[in-house]
Amino acid sequence: MNDPDTPIVQLSESLEDYMETIFELVRDNKLARIKDIAKARDVRSASVIPAMRRLSDLGLITYEKREYIDLTPEGERVARRVYARHRLLTRFFRDILGIPHEFAQKDACALEHSLSDVGMDHIVRFFEFIQSCPEGGDVISRLQTCSLVNSDKKQCTGGCAVHREDRVVNQAQMKSLRQMKPGQSCNVVRINGTGAIRQRILDMGLMPGINIYVERLSPAGDPMWIKFQGSQLSLRLKEAEMVLVVSEDT
Amino acid sequence: MNKPNQLEKDILKVALAGSPNCGKTSLFNGLTGSRQHVGNYAGVTVERRSGYYTYQQQRVEVRDLPGSYSLSSFSPEEMIAQQELVDERPDVVVVVVDATALKRSLVLLAQVMQNSQRIVLCLNMSDEAKKSGQRIDLELLTKLLGFPVVETVGHRQLGIDDLKAKIAEVAVQQKVKSRLMLGERLERAIEHVADALEKTTVPEGARQWYAVKILQNDPLFVNRVLERGKPGREAVEVAEKERATIEAFTGEDVGMYVTERYYGFVDGLLREVVVQVSHIDTRILSDRIDAIVVHRVMGIPIFLGVMYAIFWLTFTVGAYPMDWIDRLFGFLSDVIIRYWPADRLKDIQSLIVDGIIGGVGGVLVFLPNIVLLFLGLAILQDSGYMSRAAFLTDRLMHRFGLHGRSFIPLVTGFGCSIPGIMATRTMENERDRLATMLVLPLMSCGARLPIWMLLIPAFFAPYLHAPMLFAIYFIGIFLAFILALILRNTVLKGEEAPFVMELPPYRLPTLRSVVSRMMMSSWLYLKKAGTMILGISIIMWALTTYPRYDMTESKIDTPATAVAQAGTGDAKQHSFRQLEHSVAGRIGKFIEPLIAPMGFDWKIGVATIGAFTAKEVFVSQLGVIYALGDPVGDSGEEETLREALAKDYSPLIGFSLMLFLLIATPCMATIAVTRKESGSWKWPALQFFGLTAIAYIISLAVFQIGTLIGF
């Protein structure tokens, strides 16, 4: 999310907050005024001015003792980064951990400055992973219902398995890979079956969460040729039947 | 497991592990050069390869483990790779991975990390990976894994010295704790089970792996642990409890969970060390080729074209060197006969000329075929076309319990069963491979063509010649498919092998790897088949030579001029008597009642026994029996042989005979190669007796029913 090649100006906590506020105001109103900044940050106008001078000196904003403040290109870059961190943390706290909005905001504000880049990076990864993983949404919703309904951890996890089966049975749009036509894409939900064939399918990296593109069928109509994650595989329709998928086109 | 400084040991044992198609074999060749030993693992078709090299005065034994995607107990390859690592405990394990498909290849590394401490990771095909814009932070990867990583290009022999140096380095290093990370839950479960195993006799170094395996309920390991008495049973109980906990939590079976965790580890690792500097899709060209080569309409014609090219290469181009070898042996026989001291040690002369040169020469004659076929196959395999061919033909083959990869060996069988059987080596699955091997002799081979050429015109009207020839080939194919189906449902019954197959991008085969594959196969053929065939040749020779026909003694004693005056007729008469008198002749007469229901008499019986040496010998044996000399030489004589046959036997017997020769007893070279390739006498025995029994039943039925309905 940030370009590692160019150094980022190190800002104090409050300056980062100001950059964030300016970014939001500029984004929403095309310009930011001292008055608005003071209002948004809940401080007096007078106390905003020194901070603006400092940011101006750093070349992050244009501020000439007048009311209007704008971000320089460099400033916008810094602000975007700070803002993205803030937003991401807020969403992580709110959407994934299920922390109520106002607490999520507050915690994000507190944490965004003190979190190391490495720590942040890992949270980003986790966030991206859980969002891109098709099962992720389920996990989150279950986690949240769980923490609402029941505080007993064991029961909660036990219900998980049941939950999962429910989802599998109910999912009407779930098909087997066999039913996919050449040129279609789909997401793997589950691998059925047992023994060597299942193990081989898993060994080849065909597992839940993977996106598959059906390239073609053999001229005789049987083995299927699929592409995923940069590699190609052929498998018999009988084997494709074990792979349960959700079509991407529907 | 506390070994002293490894360099003090006599031989350092190194194992090469890696998935199929990762270029492990060319790396193995690069390490060991020609100092290799190739054999089979006991009782299975899996090839066992080991070799040696010396690095800084340290002698190193390298074992090339069978290519496998993971260590499990499902396929023989995976099982053997696993046993080699877990039970043999090599000093250093080199994990070879395809740098262009890191994600999939590294799962094996994760598994090896669970059962070995001294590891070198070898990123093979690194040139291709670089071309696609992939950069790997080797230093960081080494740090994260805790053991050395080298980049190699196997088929160009790049990085081999580096690999040798790293192997030597790791061998003397302190063992490092595995840095494999599979997540709290799984690691804890493994830990618990491993702790429980402490009380058993499972060696310390293997405990982790045993723990994972009994957690996954792998029957092989569960049984091994259960055999260790009460502590073993307790360990299995612990594993069962842990398994239940994991499955309750994740809602999926442990097998899936563990594999997912492996991928999790690999993903994390790759995220840290791989930088994709650019996305150059090196598959564009490969995809374009595929769009044509496996095209819905063009795919099959192109495939047939490729098959034809291989066939042409093997049998048309191969005919020239075959002829040279044939002449060379002919020349050799002539020289020996000419310069052999007259009237002395006649038996030894006969043994050398008829037995050894005749028998071994008859087999060596196929060497050019084999070299060329393997040249073709090596190109197909190295280029990546082989898996496309399997993709195209699998539907048809699968219907008969075979595999897409059976097609090429079967078609090769029309030329000669021996290279066909050897070509089954490209098949991964043991049962598929055995089924293909066993039915392969039903493909009417080139050596049987002279038989059809003799018999068909002898018994059938000209307008029936082509249809009969076609019918014979067709019956062979038909029977092969039916038998394969029967085999796969009886002797070779079992869970169907997965077809799930990688389709690697097309690669330009390198001369070095093609030639080395070719040489290896040819050498094996010469060495193994050669020694066995030599033995059988001598036996066959003895059977047709002894006991000597008494009358001959007086004949030989008479002056040469007398023999010359007596004319060739007498000499032929003599051959006939000799054959009749020999063990083979006696066997022929002895089995006459047995073969009579098929319409055969003792003469056919003897010729059929002779056909065991080589199918075409049937023709020359009949020639001898009918005292007509070599029928292949002069067309006039051949005509007479045909007439003689037509006079003695009805067309029905002729047809019954053709069926018998098509189906029964593959030649001795085929038996020898089947023995070699299947790793046991069980399969060639089944092939020999099974096919002969089927031939007997079919010929008998045809003759009896034919006679009944008045043919």
Side-chain angles (χ1 to χ4, degrees):
Chain A
M1 35 180 296
N2 45 33
D3 193 345
D5 292 348
T6 42
I8 298 257
V9 197
Q10 278 298 311
L11 295 178
S12 72
E13 207 177 301
S14 75
L15 287 182
E16 276 193 355
D17 284 340
Y18 277 119
M19 286 302 288
E20 206 178 301
T21 311
I22 295 167
F23 178 75
E24 279 183 44
L25 287 168
V26 170
R27 188 194 56 195
D28 298 335
N29 312 326
K30 300 275 180 245
L31 52 90
R33 292 176 302 182
I34 297 281
K35 204 166 69 184
D36 298 327
I37 296 169
K39 197 176 157 198
R41 298 232 47 91
D42 198 19
V43 291
R44 281 179 299 129
S45 297
S47 29
V48 176
I49 291 162
M52 292 306 115
R53 282 216 187 97
R54 176 102 184 88
L55 288 175
S56 171
D57 289 344
L58 285 167
L60 298 177
I61 58 169
T62 52
Y63 168 66
E64 282 142 13
K65 286 185 186 163
R66 287 214 314 272
E67 280 275 299
Y68 301 115
I69 290 159
D70 203 352
L71 292 164
T72 63
E74 170 70 1
E76 185 167 335
R77 214 165 64 82
V78 172
R80 264 186 196 284
R81 178 172 162 273
V82 173
Y83 181 74
R85 282 171 74 115
H86 175 82
R87 247 177 69 93
L88 196 123
L89 282 173
T90 312
R91 284 180 54 198
F92 178 65
F93 288 151
R94 191 188 58 206
D95 300 344
I96 291 177
L97 300 185
I99 300 171
H101 185 69
E102 62 271 34
F103 290 101
Q105 279 277 5
K106 238 187 213 164
D107 288 347
C109 280
L111 211 58
E112 65 187 353
H113 309 294
S114 46
L115 208 57
S116 72
D117 279 355
V118 176
M120 189 65 202
D121 196 24
H122 278 260
I123 291 179
V124 169
R125 272 186 212 174
F126 176 69
F127 191 62
E128 280 174 1
F129 172 74
I130 203 114
Q131 281 192 320
S132 58
C133 175
E135 249 122 353
D138 257 309
V139 171
I140 297 158
S141 66
R142 268 183 284 152
L143 172 74
Q144 285 169 358
T145 39
C146 241
S147 50
L148 278 177
V149 174
N150 200 328
S151 54
D152 187 317
K153 217 170 138 201
K154 262 215 169 134
Q155 281 231 351
C156 217
T157 52
C160 232
V162 180
H163 209 103
R164 191 190 176 90
E165 287 308 312
D166 274 348
R167 184 175 54 86
V168 165
V169 176
N170 291 336
Q171 209 131 35
Q173 74 264 49
M174 202 154 72
K175 297 177 177 176
S176 82
L177 178 59
R178 185 194 181 125
Q179 290 165 285
M180 302 302 291
K181 302 259 173 318
Q184 289 184 323
S185 295
C186 54
N187 259 302
V188 178
V189 180
R190 206 164 74 162
I191 315 287
N192 283 337
T194 50
I197 296 181
R198 180 170 199 262
Q199 188 60 45
R200 171 59 67 83
I201 290 174
L202 291 175
D203 284 344
M204 301 304 275
L206 211 58
M207 52 177 57
I210 295 286
N211 188 280
I212 295 178
Y213 176 77
V214 180
E215 177 83 23
R216 57 172 72 86
L217 293 172
S218 172
D222 196 343
M224 181 184 252
W225 180 308
I226 58 168
K227 284 185 163 183
F228 65 97
Q229 296 190 327
S231 59
Q232 307 188 95
L233 226 61
S234 78
L235 69 174
R236 290 183 183 144
L237 293 184
K238 217 171 139 197
E239 290 152 355
E241 210 162 342
M242 296 178 163
V243 181
L244 294 187
V245 297
V246 172
S247 173
E248 287 218 316
D249 308 315
T250 49
Chain B
M1 285 301 295
N2 279 327
K3 285 179 188 152
N5 189 333
Q6 292 288 352
L7 286 181
E8 287 164 14
K9 279 187 49 174
D10 293 327
I11 290 180
L12 185 69
K13 285 197 292 180
V14 173
L16 284 186
S19 58
N21 303 319
C22 73
K24 193 160 56 76
T25 303
S26 51
L27 213 59
F28 175 73
N29 291 339
L31 280 174
T32 59
S34 55
R35 283 156 296 171
Q36 305 186 350
H37 176 77
V38 184
N40 266 40
Y41 283 96
V44 287
T45 53
V46 181
E47 219 169 69
R48 177 197 186 115
R49 299 154 57 88
S50 57
Y52 293 91
Y53 70 84
T54 307
Y55 183 81
Q56 293 176 346
Q57 283 99 54
Q58 170 68 52
R59 208 161 142 68
V60 182
E61 184 197 346
V62 189
R63 282 224 183 139
D64 188 13
L65 304 188
S68 64
Y69 291 103
S70 76
L71 302 177
S72 76
S73 316
F74 287 124
S75 76
E77 288 82 7
E78 288 168 355
M79 179 98 99
I80 284 165
Q82 174 176 269
Q83 280 171 356
E84 283 275 335
L85 290 178
V86 178
D87 302 338
E88 301 290 320
R89 308 219 55 80
D91 300 314
V92 178
V93 182
V94 177
V95 179
V96 185
V97 301
D98 174 357
T100 62
L102 279 175
K103 195 167 169 181
R104 184 171 49 243
S105 319
L106 283 174
V107 172
L108 184 68
L109 176 77
Q111 292 185 321
V112 172
M113 283 169 80
Q114 278 180 313
N115 63 47
S116 309
Q117 271 92 18
R118 295 195 171 91
I119 305 172
V120 177
L121 173 62
C122 178
L123 303 172
N124 202 19
M125 307 193 195
S126 55
D127 55 339
E128 257 179 69
K130 278 180 186 148
K131 242 186 253 162
S132 71
Q134 176 183 280
R135 295 287 176 274
I136 295 171
D137 188 340
L138 285 184
E139 210 173 302
L140 184 60
L141 185 57
T142 304
K143 219 172 88 188
L144 290 172
L145 291 173
F147 47 79
V149 182
V150 287
E151 284 185 308
T152 54
V153 183
H155 58 273
R156 280 183 229 289
Q157 317 285 302
L158 299 176
I160 301 283
D161 289 335
D162 195 16
L163 178 60
K164 285 181 181 172
K166 288 290 174 8
I167 291 171
E169 188 184 299
V170 170
V172 294
Q173 249 171 25
Q174 279 296 308
K175 276 182 274 188
V176 287
K177 200 182 170 297
S178 168
R179 298 191 185 166
L180 183 66
M181 284 180 295
L182 298 174
E184 257 310 282
R185 186 174 305 278
L186 183 57
E187 277 173 16
R188 217 165 13 165
I190 295 172
E191 194 80 18
H192 287 167
V193 181
D195 283 349
L197 284 171
E198 231 169 77
K199 294 195 201 80
T200 66
T201 46
V202 175
E204 192 193 339
R207 263 178 222 151
Q208 274 262 330
W209 186 250
Y210 270 78
V212 177
K213 283 287 144 180
I214 62 175
L215 203 56
Q216 285 181 286
N217 206 6
D218 183 315
L220 178 74
F221 284 88
V222 170
N223 285 337
R224 279 189 182 187
V225 172
L226 283 177
E227 277 164 18
R228 290 166 205 251
K230 191 162 166 279
R233 279 198 298 279
E234 278 167 12
V236 171
E237 271 165 34
V238 172
E240 267 160 18
K241 236 178 263 164
E242 294 291 339
R243 189 186 316 134
T245 317
I246 288 178
E247 291 188 346
F249 182 78
T250 59
E252 55 193 29
D253 62 302
V254 173
M256 163 89 87
Y257 183 64
V258 172
T259 312
E260 244 174 35
R261 299 314 308 171
Y262 285 141
Y263 272 98
F265 169 71
V266 171
D267 266 348
L269 203 62
L270 293 180
R271 267 195 102 113
E272 297 293 336
V273 300
V274 174
V275 183
Q276 204 71 37
V277 290
S278 54
H279 283 278
I280 298 159
D281 193 353
T282 48
R283 296 201 84 137
I284 289 178
L285 182 64
S286 185
D287 284 352
R288 282 195 191 145
I289 296 173
D290 274 333
I292 301 165
V293 162
V294 290
H295 185 266
R296 216 158 32 86
V297 181
M298 290 181 285
I300 297 287
I302 290 176
F303 171 71
L304 294 176
V306 170
M307 286 312 309
Y308 182 79
I310 297 275
F311 222 63
W312 177 82
L313 179 74
T314 310
F315 298 107
T316 309
V317 177
Y320 298 99
M322 256 177 113
D323 189 40
W324 302 334
I325 294 179
D326 205 20
R327 280 190 209 179
L328 179 75
F329 280 108
F331 175 73
L332 212 61
S333 307
D334 286 350
V335 168
I336 290 174
I337 292 171
R338 187 169 309 161
Y339 294 102
W340 195 269
D343 301 339
R344 284 176 61 199
L345 300 170
K346 271 285 175 201
D347 281 12
I348 307 244
Q349 182 205 335
S350 170
L351 170 67
I352 294 172
V353 174
D354 301 329
I356 298 172
I357 297 181
V360 175
V363 171
L364 276 183
V365 139
F366 293 113
L367 188 64
N369 287 159
I370 285 163
V371 171
L372 288 168
L373 177 84
F374 274 92
L375 171 71
L377 290 182
I379 293 172
L380 289 195
Q381 188 132 7
D382 284 5
S383 66
Y385 185 76
M386 200 65 107
S387 45
R388 272 79 178 173
F391 175 72
L392 290 171
T393 55
D394 185 65
R395 176 83 187 261
L396 175 71
M397 294 288 118
H398 187 213
R399 198 166 284 172
F400 297 101
L402 294 170
H403 189 277
R405 301 219 165 178
S406 312
F407 195 90
I408 288 173
L410 286 178
V411 172
T412 311
F414 285 129
C416 176
S417 302
I418 296 155
I421 287 170
M422 291 172 81
T424 59
R425 251 183 238 172
T426 58
M427 300 173 65
E428 269 181 65
N429 179 262
E430 165 147 39
R431 291 200 197 92
D432 286 342
R433 191 176 166 201
L434 283 172
T436 312
M437 228 184 253
L438 292 178
V439 303
L440 213 138
L442 288 169
M443 301 283 134
S444 175
C445 68
R448 271 173 268 192
L449 200 56
I451 303 179
W452 314 142
M453 288 315 183
L454 174 73
L455 296 183
I456 293 176
F459 295 111
F460 302 100
Y463 73 93
L464 277 173
H465 290 178
M468 279 313 289
L469 191 62
F470 178 80
I472 278 292
Y473 274 85
F474 180 80
I475 290 168
I477 299 168
F478 178 75
L479 274 175
F481 280 164
I482 298 295
L483 280 184
L485 199 58
I486 293 171
L487 281 172
R488 286 301 260 119
N489 285 303
T490 54
V491 199
L492 295 170
K493 197 177 175 151
E495 192 183 353
E496 208 162 76
F499 180 71
V500 186
M501 178 183 71
E502 214 184 340
L503 294 151
Y506 287 106
R507 295 191 170 100
L508 207 60
T510 59
L511 190 65
R512 188 197 288 264
S513 102
V514 167
V515 168
S516 87
R517 263 172 199 269
M518 198 174 87
M519 295 304 287
M520 188 60 75
S521 318
S522 315
W523 173 237
L524 278 178
Y525 172 73
L526 276 187
K527 206 169 80 178
K528 296 286 176 184
T531 47
M532 215 174 298
I533 284 160
L534 178 64
I536 302 175
S537 301
I538 292 172
I539 294 171
M540 284 306 295
W541 167 81
L543 288 182
T544 48
T545 313
Y546 294 104
R548 285 283 189 200
Y549 180 49
D550 285 346
M551 286 287 287
T552 56
E553 296 307 324
S554 57
K555 284 245 163 116
I556 281 172
D557 287 340
T558 55
T561 45
V563 177
Q565 278 165 3
T568 43
D570 258 10
K572 282 170 185 166
Q573 190 63 26
H574 163 236
S575 309
F576 174 67
R577 294 272 171 247
Q578 167 58 46
L579 194 64
E580 190 183 18
H581 193 70
S582 72
V583 176
R586 286 163 201 222
I587 293 175
K589 292 215 160 160
F590 180 72
I591 61 170
E592 200 168 18
L594 192 69
I595 57 176
M598 294 187 286
F600 305 167
D601 60 9
W602 76 270
K603 287 179 266 186
I604 290 176
V606 173
T608 311
I609 292 169
F612 179 61
T613 14
K615 288 282 174 180
E616 70 271 28
V617 169
F618 178 82
V619 176
S620 53
Q621 289 273 47
L622 270 188
V624 170
I625 291 165
Y626 278 91
L628 291 167
D630 186 359
V632 194
D634 193 341
S635 64
E637 280 184 354
E638 197 174 342
E639 215 49 63
T640 0
L641 178 58
R642 283 196 186 122
E643 278 164 18
L645 285 171
K647 208 168 65 198
D648 274 14
Y649 310 108
S650 69
L652 181 63
I653 295 176
F655 186 60
S656 161
L657 177 59
M658 278 163 62
L659 286 175
F660 190 80
L661 288 168
L662 170 72
I663 307 162
T665 54
C667 67
M668 62 173 182
T670 306
I671 295 287
V673 170
T674 305
R675 158 71 186 90
K676 156 81 187 79
E677 294 293 318
S678 67
S680 109
W681 274 112
K682 194 166 87 187
W683 303 113
L686 180 67
Q687 198 177 43
F688 182 89
F689 293 110
L691 287 176
T692 307
I694 293 166
Y696 185 76
I697 293 165
I698 290 179
S699 292
L700 187 138
V702 165
F703 181 70
Q704 295 300 335
I705 295 169
T707 314
L708 267 180
I709 55 176
F711 267 102

